[in-house]
Every structure is written in structure tokens, then in C-alpha cells.
Amino acid sequence: MERIYEISARLMESLDAPLHRYLYDSIAWSDRLIMIKGARGVDMSILLVEKYA
């Protein structure tokens, strides 16, 4: 299992991808309540993980 984590980490480091999704800048992060609406399985929670990681 450790080998899989090593391979995954190496692959992630080699990616030349943007640091956050295209909607990231359109969200008012200073608001007290943020609702992200979308279909199941389209990574809405990833936006929150990216913000608070």
C-alpha cells in the first residue's frame, strides 16, 4: 500500500494543472454561508477542500 501512495504522490507532483477549479474565484468566501449546488458526483466538496487545505 505504501508503494501506491508513493506513486500517487510522484504523479501528483508531476502534473501541470491549475491549483483550483474555475469556479473558485467566483465564490464569495467571506460570506457566512456558502451553498454549492450541483448533481451528485461532480466534486462540489472539492472546492471546500481546496479552500481550507
Side-chain angles (χ1 to χ4, degrees):
M1 194 62 154
E2 186 65 31
R3 178 85 173 124
I4 293 173
Y5 289 132
E6 291 171 6
I7 293 170
S8 175
R10 190 172 11 129
L11 290 173
M12 291 299 290
E13 289 174 2
S14 68
L15 286 177
D16 185 27
L19 296 176
H20 49 76
R21 308 251 187 232
Y22 70 97
L23 289 175
Y24 186 89
D25 294 325
S26 64
I27 296 174
W29 294 105
S30 60
D31 289 350
R32 292 184 67 195
L33 176 67
I34 299 169
M35 180 178 175
I36 302 173
K37 184 178 175 183
R40 273 184 68 178
V42 294
D43 293 333
M44 292 167 289
S45 59
I46 296 297
L47 288 169
L48 299 177
V49 171
E50 290 173 351
K51 173 64 179 173
Y52 296 105

